[in-house]
Amino acid sequence: MKLLSYLAAATLTLATAAAGAQTLKPGLWEITQKMGSNPQMDQAMAQMQQQMASMPPAQRKQMEEMMAKQGVQMGGGGPGGASVKVCMSKEMVERNDIAANQGDCKTTSQQRSGNTMKMAYTCTKPPSSGEGEFTFVSAEAYRSKMTVSSMAQGKLEKMTIEGSGKWLGADCGAIKPMEPPKK
């Protein structure tokens, strides 16, 4: 399940970085990501998806509840990918500092020019760093491409994550907004 925590950290970092652009609408977002450039990660992602699908209902529910407490609801995304639903409150979008305060990830640079934002980050759990570019199509959609470096079993691994976000609506339903940790 290490991969699941890595995916959650990467997803939250991407989601909150995109929210920091202040042009996106608050509400329920679907964020889809496809990982590439790493056959082992593709295989691990496929195995994780199979494991989640074959879990007993009680165990799967427990895993989904754990993710929901972090404001994430897992979905499909296809082979080598994942789709999550994330709730972003108006305050989160307006704060423009969510990525720097989300979990143990820190934004190390963020620059915006027109409809493009470039950013870099580091995380301690799991240890990783990355940089990427977000292109904002509208207040309801964006595309992203990230390059992520992480250590796995003492080896440096690099991968690319291509993604997109689309606004589903103002009502987040049962999905709670991600909140920065209490200081």
Side-chain angles (χ1 to χ4, degrees):
M1 286 296 152
K2 262 185 170 178
L3 179 62
L4 186 57
S5 64
Y6 174 77
L7 178 61
T11 298
L12 292 175
T13 301
L14 291 169
T16 56
Q22 285 192 324
T23 59
L24 300 179
K25 289 184 173 182
L28 185 62
W29 281 79
E30 181 176 53
I31 299 167
T32 303
Q33 299 174 338
K34 171 117 172 81
M35 296 185 198
S37 301
N38 187 325
Q40 291 94 355
M41 186 61 80
D42 290 344
Q43 183 179 5
M45 178 64 77
Q47 287 175 346
M48 183 196 73
Q49 289 171 333
Q50 284 179 332
Q51 287 174 351
M52 287 287 285
S54 65
M55 280 182 182
Q59 186 179 8
R60 174 184 256 184
K61 183 177 184 201
Q62 182 180 15
M63 184 65 70
E64 289 170 350
E65 287 172 355
M66 178 191 76
M67 297 295 286
K69 286 180 184 175
Q70 298 178 39
V72 176
Q73 180 183 40
M74 294 294 288
S83 177
V84 297
K85 290 182 181 171
V86 177
C87 183
M88 291 190 275
S89 70
K90 180 178 184 251
E91 295 77 20
M92 290 167 60
V93 173
E94 290 173 350
R95 249 191 329 254
N96 198 28
D97 68 347
I98 326 164
N101 292 324
Q102 184 66 43
D104 62 354
C105 296
K106 304 280 183 230
T107 300
T108 55
S109 71
Q110 184 170 310
Q111 305 158 3
R112 179 152 180 179
S113 177
N115 71 335
T116 302
M117 181 179 71
K118 294 183 179 187
M119 59 88 64
Y121 73 93
T122 60
C123 296
T124 56
K125 291 182 184 175
S128 61
S129 62
E131 56 185 39
E133 184 173 289
F134 293 82
T135 303
F136 302 97
V137 179
S138 70
E140 297 180 359
Y142 69 86
R143 291 184 311 273
S144 64
K145 185 168 185 176
M146 299 285 296
T147 303
V148 177
S149 298
S150 62
M151 292 297 284
Q153 300 173 346
K155 276 182 25 183
L156 179 65
E157 292 188 352
K158 286 191 171 214
M159 75 181 92
T160 58
I161 302 173
E162 292 191 27
S164 63
K166 80 176 172 186
W167 186 74
L168 299 177
D171 183 6
C172 291
I175 300 174
K176 300 293 178 214
M178 297 178 299
E179 290 299 329
K182 306 232 184 300
K183 301 214 176 190

